[in-house]
Amino acid sequence: MKPPLLSSSTGRKFVRFVATLRAALSLGVWIPSVWIPIFIVLGCGYVSTSNYLSHIKTITISPIEIQDPDFTFDTSGNPHDEAIREALIDRFNQKWRDGNDAQLDVIILDYHLEPYRYNANNQPEQFRMSLEIEYEFRDRVQNKIIDRRDNYFQIHDFYIVSGQGEPPETREEAQRRLIQELVDDFYSTLAEQW
């Protein structure tokens, strides 16, 4: 009994794939057999995200809620909630105007600052600053949640001594960098979607 033949279109594609693979291998290019199925699956699943949320033209950034009193104000007494909200509005306005097509709600649950690396005298030289965040990004046009996380972490490591390859930062500088990195990450994750 003969095995069933592939359709001519599928057969030609498979033959071209095998020929390309054989040519690559004959040129000395080594492709582990584990990667071949991955290339096939990923190549067949490609979807363009250029139309990502094309129906959304406006966004509302809700007032930021901060539940950890250690992160309520910076060292100058300025409230972090206002600084974060203004930074998010400025960044998201690069794509969307102020309005009601989408809504972003952010709650800062917890703030940590702890030594991360010590010198030979057991003195801290690097710290890790982190925020635990809950957020929801809602499409109000189609009334659905686009993205939601209950335990999103934003982390910023910084040195307090010089000579480590990076300039030292004060606590206030590190908090500003942490906020800027948070805003940039939110924008790339929620507005650009890769």
Side-chain angles (χ1 to χ4, degrees):
M1 179 175 223
K2 289 184 177 181
L5 295 174
L6 296 171
S7 72
S8 62
S9 159
T10 306
R12 282 192 300 269
K13 287 179 185 176
F14 181 74
V15 169
R16 270 188 262 152
F17 172 75
V18 170
T20 304
L21 182 59
R22 185 179 297 146
L25 292 173
S26 70
L27 293 174
V29 177
W30 181 75
I31 301 174
S33 60
V34 174
W35 288 103
I36 293 171
I38 293 172
F39 289 146
I40 293 170
V41 171
L42 292 177
C44 295
Y46 173 76
V47 176
S48 171
T49 59
S50 60
N51 289 329
Y52 174 71
L53 301 179
S54 60
H55 64 284
I56 292 180
K57 307 292 183 216
T58 62
I59 187 170
T60 296
I61 309 287
S62 300
I64 308 300
E65 180 183 340
I66 298 179
Q67 295 183 350
D68 190 328
D70 293 335
F71 196 69
T72 304
F73 299 98
D74 65 16
T75 55
S76 302
N78 300 315
H80 277 129
D81 59 346
E82 292 176 15
I84 295 170
R85 183 168 186 256
E86 287 303 315
L88 284 167
I89 289 171
D90 289 345
R91 187 73 160 116
F92 276 80
N93 279 346
Q94 293 177 2
K95 183 169 184 170
W96 298 309
R97 298 181 324 274
D98 185 32
N100 293 320
D101 290 351
Q103 180 173 334
L104 177 61
D105 299 319
V106 178
I107 301 171
I108 297 179
L109 304 170
D110 204 6
Y111 166 76
H112 284 287
L113 176 65
E114 56 193 9
Y116 185 61
R117 194 164 165 187
Y118 296 87
N119 63 17
N121 296 326
N122 207 24
Q123 298 294 317
E125 61 183 14
Q126 186 180 29
F127 280 81
R128 171 163 282 178
M129 186 179 284
S130 64
L131 294 174
E132 182 181 359
I133 299 164
E134 178 180 307
Y135 72 84
E136 181 178 279
F137 185 44
R138 177 175 288 280
D139 178 342
R140 297 178 80 189
V141 174
Q142 297 179 356
N143 195 25
K144 66 179 184 178
I145 295 173
I146 299 166
D147 195 4
R148 182 182 202 301
R149 298 268 306 266
D150 294 332
N151 59 348
Y152 179 86
F153 285 91
Q154 188 70 42
I155 297 171
H156 177 66
D157 296 334
F158 65 100
Y159 288 98
I160 59 170
V161 297
S162 49
Q164 299 299 320
E166 294 180 25
E169 296 178 37
T170 65
R171 180 176 158 188
E172 187 170 297
E173 289 170 335
Q175 286 178 345
R176 280 196 300 268
R177 295 261 321 262
L178 178 69
I179 291 170
Q180 188 57 53
E181 290 168 3
L182 172 68
V183 168
D184 291 343
D185 288 352
F186 268 20
Y187 182 79
S188 78
T189 300
L190 302 176
E192 292 181 342
Q193 192 68 19
W194 308 292

mmCIF file of all heavy atoms in Angstrom, residues 17-31:
data_model
loop_
_atom_site.group_PDB
_atom_site.id
_atom_site.type_symbol
_atom_site.label_atom_id
_atom_site.label_comp_id
_atom_site.label_asym_id
_atom_site.label_seq_id
_atom_site.Cartn_x
_atom_site.Cartn_y
_atom_site.Cartn_z
ATOM 1 N N PHE A 17 11.507 23.832 1.593
ATOM 2 C CA PHE A 17 12.056 23.939 2.939
ATOM 3 C C PHE A 17 13.225 22.977 3.114
ATOM 4 O O PHE A 17 14.285 23.338 3.628
ATOM 5 C CB PHE A 17 10.968 23.667 3.980
ATOM 6 C CG PHE A 17 11.494 23.578 5.376
ATOM 7 C CD1 PHE A 17 11.876 24.709 6.066
ATOM 8 C CD2 PHE A 17 11.633 22.347 6.004
ATOM 9 C CE1 PHE A 17 12.373 24.626 7.345
ATOM 10 C CE2 PHE A 17 12.130 22.252 7.284
ATOM 11 C CZ PHE A 17 12.499 23.386 7.958
ATOM 12 N N VAL A 18 13.034 21.741 2.703
ATOM 13 C CA VAL A 18 14.101 20.736 2.835
ATOM 14 C C VAL A 18 15.307 21.130 1.999
ATOM 15 O O VAL A 18 16.459 21.019 2.449
ATOM 16 C CB VAL A 18 13.573 19.328 2.444
ATOM 17 C CG1 VAL A 18 14.704 18.330 2.346
ATOM 18 C CG2 VAL A 18 12.529 18.867 3.447
ATOM 19 N N ALA A 19 15.070 21.645 0.785
ATOM 20 C CA ALA A 19 16.182 22.064 -0.072
ATOM 21 C C ALA A 19 16.944 23.223 0.560
ATOM 22 O O ALA A 19 18.178 23.253 0.543
ATOM 23 C CB ALA A 19 15.660 22.459 -1.455
ATOM 24 N N THR A 20 16.218 24.177 1.116
ATOM 25 C CA THR A 20 16.866 25.312 1.786
ATOM 26 C C THR A 20 17.673 24.834 2.987
ATOM 27 O O THR A 20 18.803 25.265 3.208
ATOM 28 C CB THR A 20 15.816 26.344 2.236
ATOM 29 O OG1 THR A 20 15.053 26.743 1.108
ATOM 30 C CG2 THR A 20 16.460 27.550 2.883
ATOM 31 N N LEU A 21 17.080 23.947 3.763
ATOM 32 C CA LEU A 21 17.772 23.401 4.927
ATOM 33 C C LEU A 21 19.020 22.632 4.502
ATOM 34 O O LEU A 21 20.088 22.799 5.088
ATOM 35 C CB LEU A 21 16.819 22.498 5.719
ATOM 36 C CG LEU A 21 17.366 21.888 6.995
ATOM 37 C CD1 LEU A 21 17.801 22.976 7.966
ATOM 38 C CD2 LEU A 21 16.318 20.997 7.634
ATOM 39 N N ARG A 22 18.908 21.812 3.459
ATOM 40 C CA ARG A 22 20.049 21.042 2.968
ATOM 41 C C ARG A 22 21.158 21.981 2.483
ATOM 42 O O ARG A 22 22.332 21.765 2.740
ATOM 43 C CB ARG A 22 19.612 20.112 1.838
ATOM 44 C CG ARG A 22 20.748 19.201 1.365
ATOM 45 C CD ARG A 22 20.320 18.249 0.267
ATOM 46 N NE ARG A 22 19.291 17.362 0.762
ATOM 47 C CZ ARG A 22 18.296 16.893 0.023
ATOM 48 N NH1 ARG A 22 18.186 17.238 -1.239
ATOM 49 N NH2 ARG A 22 17.411 16.085 0.531
ATOM 50 N N ALA A 23 20.763 23.065 1.772
ATOM 51 C CA ALA A 23 21.755 24.028 1.286
ATOM 52 C C ALA A 23 22.461 24.708 2.451
ATOM 53 O O ALA A 23 23.681 24.898 2.437
ATOM 54 C CB ALA A 23 21.087 25.068 0.391
ATOM 55 N N ALA A 24 21.715 25.069 3.464
ATOM 56 C CA ALA A 24 22.321 25.723 4.624
ATOM 57 C C ALA A 24 23.297 24.779 5.323
ATOM 58 O O ALA A 24 24.395 25.177 5.711
ATOM 59 C CB ALA A 24 21.239 26.186 5.598
ATOM 60 N N LEU A 25 22.892 23.533 5.468
ATOM 61 C CA LEU A 25 23.769 22.565 6.121
ATOM 62 C C LEU A 25 25.009 22.263 5.287
ATOM 63 O O LEU A 25 26.088 22.053 5.819
ATOM 64 C CB LEU A 25 22.995 21.276 6.422
ATOM 65 C CG LEU A 25 21.896 21.400 7.487
ATOM 66 C CD1 LEU A 25 21.104 20.112 7.573
ATOM 67 C CD2 LEU A 25 22.493 21.772 8.829
ATOM 68 N N SER A 26 24.859 22.257 3.969
ATOM 69 C CA SER A 26 26.014 21.972 3.120
ATOM 70 C C SER A 26 27.022 23.117 3.135
ATOM 71 O O SER A 26 28.188 22.918 2.853
ATOM 72 C CB SER A 26 25.563 21.681 1.688
ATOM 73 O OG SER A 26 25.078 22.857 1.084
ATOM 74 N N LEU A 27 26.562 24.321 3.460
ATOM 75 C CA LEU A 27 27.473 25.463 3.552
ATOM 76 C C LEU A 27 28.168 25.534 4.910
ATOM 77 O O LEU A 27 28.924 26.452 5.184
ATOM 78 C CB LEU A 27 26.712 26.774 3.306
ATOM 79 C CG LEU A 27 26.183 26.966 1.890
ATOM 80 C CD1 LEU A 27 25.323 28.216 1.827
ATOM 81 C CD2 LEU A 27 27.345 27.081 0.913
ATOM 82 N N GLY A 28 27.879 24.583 5.742
ATOM 83 C CA GLY A 28 28.541 24.558 7.045
ATOM 84 C C GLY A 28 27.753 25.270 8.121
ATOM 85 O O GLY A 28 28.237 25.459 9.229
ATOM 86 N N VAL A 29 26.545 25.695 7.810
ATOM 87 C CA VAL A 29 25.708 26.327 8.821
ATOM 88 C C VAL A 29 25.053 25.221 9.625
ATOM 89 O O VAL A 29 24.363 24.369 9.073
ATOM 90 C CB VAL A 29 24.638 27.234 8.168
ATOM 91 C CG1 VAL A 29 23.721 27.820 9.216
ATOM 92 C CG2 VAL A 29 25.301 28.309 7.343
ATOM 93 N N TRP A 30 25.234 25.266 10.913
ATOM 94 C CA TRP A 30 24.710 24.224 11.763
ATOM 95 C C TRP A 30 23.429 24.699 12.424
ATOM 96 O O TRP A 30 23.403 25.717 13.095
ATOM 97 C CB TRP A 30 25.742 23.856 12.822
ATOM 98 C CG TRP A 30 25.274 22.770 13.733
ATOM 99 C CD1 TRP A 30 25.174 21.453 13.445
ATOM 100 C CD2 TRP A 30 24.838 22.921 15.083
ATOM 101 N NE1 TRP A 30 24.722 20.757 14.512
ATOM 102 C CE2 TRP A 30 24.495 21.648 15.549
ATOM 103 C CE3 TRP A 30 24.694 23.987 15.932
ATOM 104 C CZ2 TRP A 30 24.030 21.420 16.816
ATOM 105 C CZ3 TRP A 30 24.232 23.766 17.211
ATOM 106 C CH2 TRP A 30 23.909 22.485 17.632
ATOM 107 N N ILE A 31 22.341 23.995 12.207
ATOM 108 C CA ILE A 31 21.067 24.308 12.834
ATOM 109 C C ILE A 31 20.667 23.082 13.644
ATOM 110 O O ILE A 31 20.382 22.034 13.060
ATOM 111 C CB ILE A 31 19.985 24.630 11.786
ATOM 112 C CG1 ILE A 31 20.404 25.816 10.938
ATOM 113 C CG2 ILE A 31 18.649 24.894 12.457
ATOM 114 C CD1 ILE A 31 19.451 26.106 9.793
#
